[in-house]
């Protein structure tokens, strides 16, 4: 089993990792980005170097862009598709080995995950689950999000130095997605463990240790969903997982893969949004002051947080045919890397992009939720949870201060914090108002 996993890692990550490490040492800006040598990818000197080389330069064997218009266009252009281990341009011997070493784990970054399948399969998966994230469905969850947030903040009062990631930012979205999927409350900590430990798989060029740890976690996820699906087949519920289980359109593998995707995607992005938002607002007290004085600015502030500190830094597409674009000829099978964070700092779209401004008029034009057919399914839910959680937190604790620098997660593509110790000071007036509501 270990040998099969190692071979799979070598083909999917190891060879690319060796090449990119060599390229990074030679000063290649794309390779340096992949290995996390910049924190805020949108404003990094590496991204600026890529901009200087043109709209779509070729680096480390791939075309790359941080141009907003080009990123948005490619995301919406059906001549480009998602990148998968089974892609047709991969040599047949390698595809054969990958098929033989496939443990059918519910990996977010491998088919049949909705994240890495194109139409018509993607359309079929998305149609089944889309209603759970419709405007009406999300509006129906608002009161529950308020209740969850209030309950968490009440418990924070008993902790003199809470961790705002572990005790708050992670708990709000996991509680909501658990209810959508029909998971009991005592599963929240397990869900968080699964999501955080498997999150590195969305990165490229993983180390063997990281890859093995993440895939071992997925084996546990697969076993749980196998048992859960058997239970729901016998006794269906009224939750989203039951929708997947009772559909005759999906195979067992498709059910498990997309259930796991909904679990992870249902909270990971929002955890990062909340954590990044807390870090930004505590370090920009003038902007926080505006929000406390004008609460109607909160929806726009969430958009600016997403633009300024994009939770997902980069995505990739592969040309399905020969394409001429941005004065470049892209051959069929060529890889194109799209810096979403870099696009969100495009000065031609967002003037003075390095300024964090909660009143920015066009902040919602960001690409943090991607675009096109693969645009984030749960974007409405994430925005709603972001507004409620951050507004309630800072209205209750307007003098909140971080107790030292927040500790980031060691991820390349997801910008997230692992820990954020804080000191709380409640606002008596706000507390009295909330108690009386």
């Amino acid at each position: 089993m270990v040998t099969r996993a190692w071979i799979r890692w070598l083909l999917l990550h190891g060879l690319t990792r060796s090449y990119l490490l060599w390229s990074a040492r030679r000063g290649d800006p794309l390779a340096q980005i992949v290995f996390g040598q910049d924190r805020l990818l949108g404003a990094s000197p590496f991204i600026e170097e890529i901009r200087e080389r043109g709209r779509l330069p070729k680096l480390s064997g791939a075309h790359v862009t941080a141009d907003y218009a080009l990123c948005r266009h490619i995301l919406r252009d059906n001549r480009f598709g998602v990148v998968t281990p089974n892609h047709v341009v991969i040599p047949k011997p390698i595809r054969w080995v990958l098929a033989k070493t496939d443990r059918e784990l519910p990996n977010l970054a491998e088919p049949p995950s909705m994240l890495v399948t194109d139409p018509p399969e993607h359309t079929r998966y998305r149609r089944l689950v889309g209603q759970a994230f419709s405007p009406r469905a999300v509006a129906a969850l608002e009161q529950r999000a308020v209740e969850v947030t209030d309950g968490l903040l009440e418990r924070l009062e008993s902790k003199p130095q809470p961790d705002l990631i572990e005790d708050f930012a992670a708990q709000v979205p996991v509680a909501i997605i658990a209810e959508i999927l029909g998971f009991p409350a005592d599963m929240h900590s397990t869900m968080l463990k699964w999501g955080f430990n498997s999150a590195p798989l969305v990165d490229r060029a993983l180390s063997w240790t990281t890859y093995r740890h993440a895939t071992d976690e997925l084996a546990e996820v697969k076993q749980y969903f196998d048992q859960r699906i058997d239970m729901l087949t016998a006794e269906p519920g009224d939750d989203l997982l039951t929708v997947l289980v009772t559909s005759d359109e999906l195979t067992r593998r498709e059910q498990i893969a997309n259930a796991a995707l909904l679990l992870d995607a249902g909270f990971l992005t929002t955890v990062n949004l909340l954590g990044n938002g807390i870090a930004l607002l505590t370090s920009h007290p003038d902007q926080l002051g505006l929000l406390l004085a004008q609460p109607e600015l909160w929806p726009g502030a969430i958009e600016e947080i997403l633009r300024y500190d994009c939770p997902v830094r980069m995505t990739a597409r592969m040309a399905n045919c020969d394409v001429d674009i941005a004065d470049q000829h892209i051959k069929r099978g060529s890889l194109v890397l799209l810096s979403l964070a870099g696009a969100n700092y495009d000065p031609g779209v967002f003037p003075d992009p390095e300024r964090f401004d909660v009143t920015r008029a066009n902040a919602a034009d960001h690409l943090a939720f991607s675009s096109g057919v693969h645009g984030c399914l749960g974007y409405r839910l994430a925005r709603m949870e972001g507004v409620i959680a951050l507004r309630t937190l800072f209205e209750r604790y307007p003098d909140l201060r971080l107790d030292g620098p927040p500790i980031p997660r060691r991820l390349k593509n997801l910008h997230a914090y692992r820990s954020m110790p804080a000191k709380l000071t409640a606002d008596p007036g706000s507390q009295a108002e909330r108690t009386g509501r």
Side-chain angles (χ1 to χ4, degrees):
M1 184 70 73
V2 173
T3 301
R4 289 171 60 193
W6 185 86
I7 292 172
R8 193 171 182 83
W9 164 79
L10 180 67
L11 294 176
L12 294 177
H13 295 276
L15 295 175
T16 302
R17 181 180 177 85
S18 296
Y19 174 70
L20 289 175
L21 281 170
W22 175 79
S23 297
R25 286 194 293 268
R26 292 171 58 88
D28 184 288
L30 175 58
Q32 291 172 326
I33 287 170
V34 169
F35 284 100
Q37 296 182 27
D38 60 331
R39 192 201 72 81
L40 190 58
L41 190 141
S44 74
F46 301 133
I47 283 293
E48 294 312 310
E49 183 178 344
I50 288 172
R51 289 194 205 279
E52 290 174 2
R53 296 191 184 200
R55 297 182 69 201
L56 195 61
K58 192 169 185 179
L59 302 166
S60 298
H63 293 274
V64 61
T65 183
D67 181 276
Y68 177 91
L70 198 51
C71 284
R72 189 173 184 273
H73 177 84
I74 292 172
L75 289 170
R76 292 167 169 259
D77 190 335
N78 60 15
R79 294 176 298 174
F80 294 90
V82 292
V83 183
T84 78
N86 303 323
H87 202 279
V88 69
V89 299
I90 295 177
K92 287 184 179 180
I94 294 179
R95 278 191 282 153
W96 182 87
V97 173
L98 289 174
K100 290 296 183 181
T101 57
D102 188 357
R103 297 164 59 191
E104 297 192 357
L105 299 177
N107 188 337
L108 278 70
E110 294 185 24
S113 163
M114 191 189 320
L115 190 66
V116 285
T117 53
D118 284 322
E121 289 82 5
H122 176 271
T123 306
R124 178 163 51 93
Y125 303 153
R126 188 159 177 139
R127 184 179 65 249
L128 282 173
V129 301
Q131 285 302 309
F133 303 97
S134 68
R136 178 178 296 181
V138 170
L141 289 167
E142 285 189 19
Q143 184 55 38
R144 182 59 184 142
V146 170
E147 294 169 359
V148 169
T149 301
D150 284 347
L152 289 169
L153 292 180
E154 287 174 7
R155 288 195 287 274
L156 284 185
E157 292 180 0
S158 64
K159 298 185 176 185
Q161 291 181 301
D163 185 324
L164 291 181
I165 300 298
E166 179 181 350
D167 299 324
F168 183 70
Q171 300 300 328
V172 174
V174 80
I176 301 301
I177 196 62
E179 293 191 11
I180 292 173
L181 292 173
F183 278 70
D186 61 9
M187 283 288 295
H188 290 182
S189 60
T190 301
M191 293 169 66
L192 289 169
K193 179 178 79 74
W194 287 341
F196 289 138
N197 288 345
S198 63
L201 290 169
V202 302
D203 283 342
R204 305 286 175 182
L206 296 179
S207 70
W208 161 240
T209 301
T210 300
Y211 177 80
R212 184 177 180 186
H213 178 69
T215 51
D216 285 348
E217 195 73 32
L218 289 185
E220 182 180 324
V221 175
K222 182 177 184 291
Q223 181 180 28
Y224 174 83
F225 274 112
D226 258 328
Q227 297 171 350
R228 183 78 175 173
I229 288 172
D230 287 340
M231 292 172 55
L232 291 175
T233 300
E235 297 183 33
D238 59 356
D239 50 70
L240 183 55
L241 188 53
T242 297
V243 172
L244 292 175
V245 170
T246 57
S247 170
D248 58 6
E249 297 184 50
L250 303 182
T251 65
R252 172 62 70 97
R253 186 176 185 183
E254 289 173 328
Q255 291 170 346
I256 293 175
N258 287 290
L261 171 64
L262 290 168
L263 185 155
D264 290 347
F267 73 84
L268 279 175
T269 299
T270 308
V271 173
N272 300 344
L273 162 61
L274 297 180
N276 297 353
I278 293 169
L280 282 171
L281 290 171
T282 52
S283 62
H284 293 82
D286 59 323
Q287 298 298 298
L288 177 58
L290 284 174
L291 293 170
L292 293 175
Q294 303 175 65
E296 67 275 11
L297 295 177
W298 273 107
I302 296 301
E303 306 297 347
E304 177 67 349
I305 291 167
L306 288 164
R307 182 202 71 82
Y308 190 88
D309 208 346
C310 188
V312 180
R313 296 175 167 189
M314 183 173 285
T315 192
R317 292 292 184 267
M318 190 165 281
N320 294 327
C321 58
D322 286 4
V323 180
D324 291 311
I325 188 171
D327 297 324
Q328 296 284 333
H329 180 70
I330 310 295
K331 293 183 179 180
R332 176 178 177 268
S334 296
L335 185 66
V336 180
L337 298 179
L338 312 175
S339 172
L340 303 180
N344 289 342
Y345 272 67
D346 189 329
V349 179
F350 304 103
D352 194 7
E354 296 184 37
R355 176 170 53 89
F356 178 60
D357 179 7
V358 299
T359 67
R360 186 180 295 272
N362 69 337
D365 292 336
H366 63 76
L367 295 178
F369 290 129
S370 189
S371 189
V373 296
H374 282 281
C376 178
L377 182 65
Y379 71 93
R380 296 186 187 93
L381 182 63
R383 283 171 165 135
M384 179 269 286
E385 292 172 338
V387 170
I388 290 174
L390 290 180
R391 176 178 174 175
T392 308
L393 172 68
F394 283 105
E395 286 184 349
R396 187 159 185 158
Y397 299 108
D399 297 322
L400 182 152
R401 295 291 182 270
L402 299 187
D403 191 14
I407 301 171
R409 294 190 182 277
R410 294 184 176 180
L411 300 172
K412 302 180 186 74
N413 198 30
L414 299 179
H415 181 234
Y417 293 106
R418 177 170 60 85
S419 180
M420 192 174 286
K423 294 180 180 179
L424 306 179
T425 303
D427 178 9
S430 175
Q431 175 67 24
E433 180 181 341
R434 295 176 61 78
T435 303
R437 77 179 178 191

